[in-house]
Amino acid sequence: KLLIGSLSNYILPEDPVNFSTPEPRQQFVLTMINDCSNESEIDLFTRGLNAFQEDIRSKKNKHFLALNAPEQEEMIKLYFESKSLINDFLGLIKKYSLLHFETSENYLTTYLKYEFMPGRYLGQISIT
């Protein structure tokens, strides 16, 4: 859970003050993978997660969270530039991280001018 949260926050930094959401991003990402994905996407996620962890251990001889920030940045950039299972895995995390951000109330109301149901009541508008 910490690894997914760390990766999603690295891809898109979380701002809980300005863009608050009901649940933390890592919980949202895992819920979306578990509840809303088809079998092939879940399989891609689990195989990509395993490949990611194995590749980090083989290259750095450490867990991803034990790396310092520049090393983490370097590894994530390399994976995003590659055409691999790990790139697809990170793409899923990016997809759901963006969806989490785009469903925050502040983003919907401020940037998209979305109004929650039942909508605006305009009772004193003259009809011409």
Side-chain angles (χ1 to χ4, degrees):
K1 189 173 179 178
L2 289 175
L3 176 62
I4 302 303
S6 176
L7 289 172
S8 66
N9 283 326
Y10 192 84
I11 293 168
L12 178 66
E14 202 167 5
D15 183 3
V17 174
N18 294 317
F19 298 98
S20 63
T21 55
E23 71 273 318
R25 183 171 299 151
Q26 70 267 16
Q27 186 65 40
F28 180 85
V29 170
L30 291 172
T31 300
M32 293 302 290
I33 292 292
N34 191 45
D35 295 350
C36 301
S37 297
N38 57 30
E39 287 182 35
S40 63
E41 201 171 68
I42 291 171
D43 182 54
L44 176 102
F45 183 82
T46 54
R47 288 185 307 116
L49 176 60
N50 291 332
F52 177 81
Q53 291 176 324
E54 288 173 18
D55 195 59
I56 292 288
R57 276 191 218 117
S58 69
K59 289 181 178 172
K60 297 292 185 177
N61 205 19
K62 293 181 186 177
H63 189 273
F64 180 77
L65 297 175
L67 300 175
N68 61 36
E71 288 176 315
Q72 289 178 347
E73 180 179 349
E74 173 190 343
M75 295 307 292
I76 290 177
K77 281 183 181 179
L78 287 174
Y79 291 135
F80 269 119
E81 292 170 357
S82 70
K83 300 288 183 201
S84 67
L85 178 64
I86 298 172
N87 181 315
D88 296 338
F89 161 72
L90 291 174
L92 281 176
I93 293 176
K94 179 180 177 180
K95 171 184 160 181
Y96 291 122
S97 296
L98 283 170
L99 183 61
H100 182 256
F101 170 74
E102 290 172 346
T103 56
S104 66
E105 183 177 351
N106 191 15
Y107 177 78
L108 289 170
T109 57
T110 304
Y111 296 97
L112 295 183
K113 306 297 185 210
Y114 179 82
E115 293 186 26
F116 292 100
M117 287 187 63
R120 185 177 299 181
Y121 174 69
L122 303 171
Q124 295 184 4
I125 291 183
S126 61
I127 300 174
T128 55

